[in-house]
């Protein structure tokens, strides 16, 4: 299992992996030791990779050295973000009766997307959902995920990255 460490420096974030330092984007409101649904923070802790999604109509099939499931997404793929629903923090088929995020987006954020193991064993209502490693949004921050450029994301998958540890920032940054 190859692990990267996510560290912050001021208002910037970086993945440290195999001697490389890769800039990443995190949640608009930084990191959280107490992640809650909709707080716009990236959770501190261990984030194992679960599976890979990609838009086959836009990108070529990714290569993943650790053998994760790789699945093309479709227009009816979603992710439930409704803490009151039994499908909370799970992939769902749209339309769905609860609040869900559409994985098939007009922008390119989820063209290549890794589902991270956060609040999924089992999911606890309100502790955060849809924490992914995905492509950077135009805004320059995420809603709680981690974002990295496509070339870097592909290289990380090919190099066998399977886990990210998000470190707590030093007290000087609070």
């Amino acid at each position: 299992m190859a692990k990267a460490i996510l560290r912050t420096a001021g208002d910037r974030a970086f993945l440290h992996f195999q001697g490389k330092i890769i800039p990443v984007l995190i949640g608009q409101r930084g990191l959280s030791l107490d992640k809650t649904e909709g707080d716009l923070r990236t959770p501190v802790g261990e984030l194992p990779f679960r599976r890979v999604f990609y838009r086959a109509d836009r990108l070529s099939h990714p290569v993943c050295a650790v053998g994760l499931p790789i699945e093309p997404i479709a227009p009816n793929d979603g992710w439930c973000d409704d803490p009151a629903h039994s499908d909370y923090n799970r992939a769902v088929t749209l339309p769905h009766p609860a609040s869900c995020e559409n994985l098939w987006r007009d922008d390119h954020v989820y063209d290549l997307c890794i589902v991270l193991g956060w609040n999924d064993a089992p999911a606890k209502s309100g502790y955060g959902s849809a924490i992914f490693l995905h492509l950077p949004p135009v805004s320059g921050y995420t809603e709680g995920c981690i974002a990295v450029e496509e070339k870097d994301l592909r290289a990380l998958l090919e190099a066998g990255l399977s886990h990210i540890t998000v470190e707590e920032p030093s007290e000087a940054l609070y």
Side-chain angles (χ1 to χ4, degrees):
M1 173 169 68
K3 179 168 67 171
I5 306 296
L6 187 146
R7 295 185 175 120
T8 56
D11 63 352
R12 302 194 56 198
F14 302 90
L15 275 183
H16 297 255
F17 181 67
Q18 296 181 342
K20 296 181 178 130
I21 299 174
I22 302 163
V24 298
L25 301 175
I26 60 173
Q28 179 181 12
R29 296 187 57 219
L31 302 179
S32 176
L33 295 169
D34 188 24
K35 174 78 181 143
T36 59
E37 188 65 41
D39 67 2
L40 302 177
R41 295 181 184 269
T42 300
V44 169
E46 305 298 318
L47 303 175
F49 291 11
R50 300 294 195 216
R51 59 185 173 175
V52 179
F53 292 136
Y54 75 105
R55 283 276 303 254
D57 64 318
R58 292 182 175 170
L59 300 179
S60 62
H61 191 282
V63 174
C64 180
V66 295
L68 292 172
I70 300 173
E71 306 165 41
I73 57 173
N76 63 341
D77 285 330
W79 199 272
C80 183
D81 58 10
D82 183 345
H85 198 277
S86 61
D87 286 333
Y88 180 59
N89 201 24
R90 293 185 189 165
V92 295
T93 300
L94 302 175
H96 190 275
S99 172
C100 295
E101 188 167 347
N102 191 337
L103 299 180
W104 186 272
R105 295 169 54 137
D106 290 335
D107 64 17
H108 295 275
V109 171
Y110 293 160
D111 285 4
L112 182 56
C113 175
I114 300 166
V115 177
L116 299 175
W118 175 258
N119 189 31
D120 65 345
K124 294 180 187 173
S125 179
Y127 280 65
S129 65
I131 303 298
F132 303 139
L133 176 60
H134 60 67
L135 303 181
V138 174
S139 66
Y141 54 82
T142 72
E143 294 181 18
C145 298
I146 302 167
V148 63
E149 294 293 337
E150 181 185 350
K151 67 178 175 51
D152 294 322
L153 186 47
R154 285 182 178 274
L156 291 166
L157 283 170
E158 290 172 16
L161 181 63
S162 62
H163 189 101
I164 294 173
T165 299
V166 178
E167 287 190 343
E168 180 178 350
S170 69
E171 288 186 34
L173 297 176
Y174 285 116

